[in-house]
Amino acid sequence: MGQRFSGPAVPALLVADVVDLQIPANRTAHNTSEYCSKELILRRGQPFKINVKFNRALESGESIELSAETVSSPKTKFPLPSSAAEGSWSAVPEHGPSNTFTYTILSPPTASIGRYDLSLQVSSSIKNSTIKLGQFILLFNPWSADDDVFMPIDVERKEYVLNDSGIIYRGHNKYITELGWNFGQFEKKILDLCLTILDKSLEHCKEPSLDCTQRNNPVYVSRVISAMVNCQDDDGVLVGDWSGDYSDGTDPSSWNGSVAILREWGQHSYSPVEYGQCWVFAGVTCTVLRCLGIPARVVTNFSSAHDTNGNLSIDEFYDKTGKPLNQSDDSIWNFHVWNEGWFTRKDLGAFYDGWQVLDATPQEQSTGIYRCGPTSVKAIKEGDVDLDYDAPFVFAEVNADRVSWICEGENKKEKLRCDSSVVGKNISTKAVGKNLREDITANYKYEEGSKKEREVFTKAYTKLFGCAPPSTSNRGAAADAMGDATELANLNVSGKFKIIQSIHFGEDANLILILKNSSTEHAKNVMVSICASSMLYNGRVTSEVSGEKTSVKLGPAEEKEIPFTVTYGQYEKYLSKDDHNVHFNAVCEAEGQATFLVQKTITLEHPVISLQVLGPVVVNKPGKGSVTFSNPLSEELTDGKLTIVGASLINAVLEIIVISIKPKETIIIPFDISPIAMGNKQLAVNFSCNKFCNVKTFVEVVVVEDNISNLTKGSL
């Protein structure tokens, strides 16, 4: 019987028996513990550790190399060398037992954000193999000084990255209201949906590899987001609608946060959600930016210009009775809401670093797509309208002049006045760490009417049109904040509207037109035509409510008051349940001088709804709250619905039907809360009925730890 000889034993295939991504420790170190996900979520430019235990020790001639590969574009692959080099990927091993390695992995601060596959390549003289280690998600890193989104002040990072709720300001310049908003960037599935927004973009669909490569740049990523939150050109998140008829979707004013919108988008195969308006677009955009690691805030510009033809002028036309004429697409919105993102502008220069305007509301196209920004706030303040992106449009929003015209017939029109101080008022955002309004108007422009402000306007106008702007002699810089005064130097007779007190919906609107003759020698006869119209917050006039004509004789240096009343019965049928705005125009023809126009917009205030949380709120213990609402009308309210939402406070959206509320009746509605997480939370309520729509309020709720449980644990 012959002998059998065997060659050298072939080692078993190298296999990773145990892969420990050290998810809790890494996420804590990377400030991503808040995300409601079991995945490894990291911030770029910061090391993380993983442990790998193999089925055996490495044999002579075998080598191991790690690599990271973007999931959205598999062609984008990064080998991880075993020695650290500044600004590069690396995976430095530490040997434990012969078959165990701890890898310290470092991504560069310029790495593209997104989901990555982490794998290990084994090379030997016999066979090469690949071992899948798992996935991780890489985000921008505001904690890293080398990242373009670095924000050095910790309390600002907590506000602009980690705060999952906030305040959006609405109303108008003289009546600013607060809307509580749940950004919810850490809630279940939101991070996945935010990454999907990038994958659904036109840029990614056209050229995935190039798109993924550019996701290292917050300028690029934020511009993609501003396009994708609206659906004008793509499978974006929201449909914009200002028609007033939302019967086939959701009234924009009904939303209390971004989470329900993003989830609905995902649940319906990424079909756009109906409907949104500017504050809804801004709320969702803020969620996406913060979720991906870009510091962001919501900003409201009151008396915001929409300059459709780019001439830095908002032209408004009226007939001789003061009735607005639809002869221009320009408008001045009571308010407009956009976002600011915080990052460097290497494309523009370090001076323009910091806050950048981003606007997802589909107003005008930017290089063929409905998007806006990022526009450097500093560029707007300095009039540098020749810089990317969309600086002329944003500059006009806060600086355009309002030009008023009176039209007689089809071809004759008379320029009444040019106001340079009407647009861009009380630019507002939530303060850092407090539920207070911060006025940031000074970030966008120099003091209204100052020499420097006029110099910047001239600079911007010259950059755009190659010449100086028209004479400013009749600009009326002394007009008050809402443009309701007329103070032109060449007018002996001037006027302004005055409201005696705030007006609630359901009450008659009583105004006084004050006319003054500044001539000390001559009496003046004045013909006055007053017109009141219903108006949406975006400046669009919908219906004429009432009007009257009168004549007034003013003696030398005399001042007279003309009362004007619009009754509840007159305006109630013309106002939408959302927009309670009435716009007043008075065309005044005084003998011996040019015709002038006096204007004012008022908002009829919603009834007050109050929200109270009873007693201390303890995590994992049931609590109580109550809502109080008073019917201000002398008629019954019907078909009421109260909606209560609160992340980590209410298990799901709570809806309570209110069948009727009698005239002048006050009701108190109790409800239960179930806090599941500690910290500062936001509870919001929304009430709608047959007469009112979306009467809202919110409170901050501090959820504390159970002290009794702590004592019990300490005694064991």
Side-chain angles (χ1 to χ4, degrees):
M1 188 174 201
Q3 288 183 316
R4 299 180 66 184
F5 295 94
S6 60
V10 177
L13 183 67
L14 191 66
V15 175
D17 282 344
V18 179
V19 178
D20 181 7
L21 298 180
Q22 299 191 38
I23 291 175
N26 284 322
R27 284 181 52 165
T28 298
H30 285 243
N31 298 287
T32 61
S33 296
E34 297 284 343
Y35 288 90
C36 187
S37 168
K38 295 181 180 180
E39 293 187 89
L40 177 56
I41 304 170
L42 305 166
R43 298 193 186 275
R44 65 183 190 175
Q46 185 172 334
F48 64 99
K49 292 180 181 290
I50 67 168
N51 293 328
V52 183
K53 182 180 178 181
F54 296 100
N55 60 323
R56 60 172 175 79
L58 265 67
E59 298 284 342
S60 175
E62 285 184 322
S63 64
I64 295 176
E65 184 179 69
L66 269 68
S67 68
E69 189 173 17
T70 55
V71 173
S72 296
S73 178
K75 294 181 181 179
T76 310
K77 192 171 185 177
F78 304 95
L80 309 183
S82 59
S83 59
E86 187 175 348
S88 300
W89 288 91
S90 64
V92 179
E94 302 171 25
H95 289 279
S98 60
N99 63 337
T100 302
F101 292 84
T102 296
Y103 289 94
T104 299
I105 301 174
L106 179 64
S107 63
T110 56
S112 292
I113 64 163
R115 182 175 272 104
Y116 286 78
D117 279 323
L118 186 64
S119 60
L120 186 150
Q121 284 74 44
V122 181
S123 301
S124 71
S125 58
I126 300 174
K127 185 178 182 180
N128 297 334
S129 61
T130 299
I131 300 173
K132 298 288 187 181
L133 300 180
Q135 287 190 345
F136 64 89
I137 296 173
L138 197 63
L139 305 176
F140 291 107
N141 193 351
W143 283 262
S144 171
D146 296 322
D147 198 301
D148 286 343
V149 303
F150 174 58
M151 182 167 266
I153 301 175
D154 185 58
V155 291
E156 293 185 351
R157 286 195 298 262
K158 289 177 180 176
E159 180 67 50
Y160 299 131
V161 182
L162 298 181
N163 196 351
D164 60 0
S165 64
I167 300 172
I168 299 176
Y169 295 97
R170 301 188 299 171
H172 66 63
N173 184 45
K174 295 290 184 67
Y175 177 56
I176 298 175
T177 61
E178 297 179 346
L179 170 65
W181 193 266
N182 173 35
F183 298 119
Q185 67 267 34
F186 304 122
E187 293 196 29
K188 191 174 182 180
K189 295 188 179 299
I190 297 304
L191 177 55
D192 285 341
L193 289 165
C194 291
L195 293 173
T196 302
I197 284 173
L198 302 183
D199 289 345
K200 290 288 181 181
S201 70
L202 295 176
E203 289 84 354
H204 186 78
C205 293
K206 181 179 179 181
E207 200 165 348
S209 295
L210 178 60
D211 169 66
C212 286
T213 301
Q214 294 183 94
R215 289 184 189 179
N216 68 333
N217 185 355
V219 175
Y220 174 82
V221 171
S222 64
R223 188 158 171 79
V224 168
I225 292 167
S226 76
M228 278 298 298
V229 171
N230 73 71
C231 70
Q232 293 296 110
D233 311 284
D234 41 46
D235 294 326
V237 177
L238 276 163
V239 180
D241 192 341
W242 287 261
S243 68
D245 179 9
Y246 314 114
S247 56
D248 57 344
T250 299
D251 184 332
S253 294
S254 295
W255 301 113
N256 291 300
S258 308
V259 174
I261 295 169
L262 289 167
R263 286 179 179 165
E264 183 176 332
W265 180 66
Q267 289 165 1
H268 291 84
S269 303
Y270 311 111
S271 295
V273 177
E274 300 171 329
Y275 292 103
Q277 292 180 0
C278 66
W279 67 90
V280 186
F281 288 107
V284 173
T285 300
C286 189
T287 296
V288 179
L289 292 169
R290 289 186 184 182
C291 188
L292 298 179
I294 299 176
R297 61 188 185 184
V298 177
V299 172
T300 303
N301 178 39
F302 291 96
S303 297
S304 185
H306 182 177
D307 182 14
T308 57
N309 56 9
N311 65 353
L312 300 187
S313 173
I314 305 300
D315 294 296
E316 298 178 345
F317 298 91
Y318 305 90
D319 67 14
K320 295 201 70 174
T321 69
K323 181 181 178 180
L325 301 175
N326 187 23
Q327 294 189 11
S328 172
D329 292 329
D330 289 350
S331 58
I332 297 178
W333 298 30
N334 282 0
F335 68 93
H336 180 52
V337 187
W338 58 66
N339 300 91
E340 290 177 355
W342 175 274
F343 43 86
T344 62
R345 292 302 301 267
K346 293 176 181 175
D347 56 328
L348 303 182
F351 176 78
Y352 302 101
D353 291 350
W355 290 117
Q356 315 290 324
V357 172
L358 293 157
D359 193 348
T361 301
Q363 295 185 94
E364 299 293 332
Q365 290 184 330
S366 172
T367 58
I369 295 174
Y370 281 94
R371 58 188 170 187
C372 183
T375 312
S376 166
V377 173
K378 291 179 182 176
I380 298 306
K381 183 169 184 176
E382 298 302 328
D384 294 327
V385 294
D386 52 339
L387 301 178
D388 288 339
Y389 292 93
D390 310 306
F393 184 77
V394 179
F395 184 87
E397 287 183 300
V398 299
N399 284 297
D401 289 344
R402 181 179 71 182
V403 182
S404 302
W405 304 80
I406 287 287
C407 298
E408 293 186 65
E410 293 185 2
N411 300 317
K412 184 180 179 182
K413 63 181 181 180
E414 177 187 355
K415 184 177 181 180
L416 297 183
R417 62 183 282 112
C418 179
D419 291 311
S420 64
S421 61
V422 172
V423 167
K425 295 295 183 180
N426 291 355
I427 304 175
S428 302
T429 191
K430 178 187 175 297
V432 174
K434 297 179 249 183
N435 284 339
L436 298 174
R437 185 179 69 87
E438 180 183 357
D439 192 305
I440 57 171
T441 308
N443 291 358
Y444 282 83
K445 57 185 182 179
Y446 291 93
E447 184 179 358
E448 199 72 73
S450 67
K451 180 181 178 182
K452 183 66 175 178
E453 185 264 336
R454 283 294 94 192
E455 288 176 354
V456 168
F457 185 91
T458 299
K459 173 184 176 182
Y461 193 97
T462 303
K463 279 178 177 284
L464 291 174
F465 306 113
C467 61
S471 171
T472 60
S473 60
N474 68 334
R475 289 185 179 273
D480 84 354
M482 287 301 292
D484 54 5
T486 301
E487 302 287 352
L488 302 184
N490 62 340
L491 296 184
N492 287 322
V493 178
S494 60
K496 66 178 180 179
F497 276 117
K498 181 179 179 181
I499 302 176
I500 304 301
Q501 59 187 16
S502 60
I503 305 167
H504 292 81
F505 184 85
E507 301 173 342
D508 294 347
N510 296 304
L511 280 80
I512 297 172
L513 175 63
I514 302 174
L515 294 177
K516 181 179 179 180
N517 181 10
S518 59
S519 171
T520 58
E521 299 178 357
H522 303 287
K524 295 286 185 179
N525 292 315
V526 186
M527 294 295 299
V528 180
S529 297
I530 302 177
C531 177
S533 305
S534 58
M535 189 179 77
L536 302 181
Y537 85 94
N538 64 359
R540 183 166 68 88
V541 172
T542 53
S543 300
E544 183 178 351
V545 174
S546 69
E548 67 178 49
K549 291 185 177 181
T550 188
S551 61
V552 180
K553 183 172 183 178
L554 296 173
E558 185 178 11
E559 182 177 284
K560 283 187 177 180
E561 296 183 350
I562 304 172
F564 183 68
T565 298
V566 180
T567 66
Y568 171 60
Q570 287 176 306
Y571 69 69
E572 187 266 342
K573 58 187 174 183
Y574 293 111
L575 301 185
S576 73
K577 291 196 291 183
D578 276 333
D579 280 302
H580 290 175
N581 302 305
V582 183
H583 182 67
F584 295 87
N585 293 312
V587 177
C588 303
E589 300 177 80
E591 56 183 333
Q593 69 176 52
T595 301
F596 64 91
L597 180 70
V598 186
Q599 298 176 285
K600 190 172 190 68
T601 300
I602 66 170
T603 296
L604 303 170
E605 298 184 15
H606 267 85
V608 175
I609 188 169
S610 62
L611 173 61
Q612 184 179 12
V613 175
L614 309 176
V617 181
V618 180
V619 67
N620 296 323
K621 285 198 170 185
K624 296 286 185 181
S626 66
V627 176
T628 303
F629 179 79
S630 297
N631 178 2
L633 303 182
S634 298
E635 53 188 300
E636 183 182 20
L637 301 181
T638 61
D639 305 320
K641 184 173 76 171
L642 182 69
T643 304
I644 306 172
V645 296
S648 302
L649 294 170
I650 303 290
N651 291 333
V653 176
L654 178 61
E655 293 185 350
I656 300 172
I657 300 300
V658 182
I659 297 174
S660 75
I661 307 175
K662 296 177 182 178
K664 305 298 182 180
E665 180 186 10
T666 296
I667 61 170
I668 300 176
I669 302 173
F671 63 92
D672 297 325
I673 58 175
S674 304
I676 60 173
M678 292 188 299
N680 291 2
K681 308 298 176 184
Q682 190 182 89
L683 191 65
V685 299
N686 180 24
F687 178 70
S688 294
C689 63
N690 63 320
K691 290 292 183 180
F692 301 107
C693 188
N694 304 306
V695 182
K696 295 173 178 280
T697 192
F698 68 95
V699 295
E700 184 178 56
V701 179
V702 180
V703 182
V704 298
E705 194 172 5
D706 187 349
N707 290 328
I708 296 178
S709 296
N710 284 343
L711 290 174
T712 303
K713 291 175 185 176
S715 63
L716 294 176

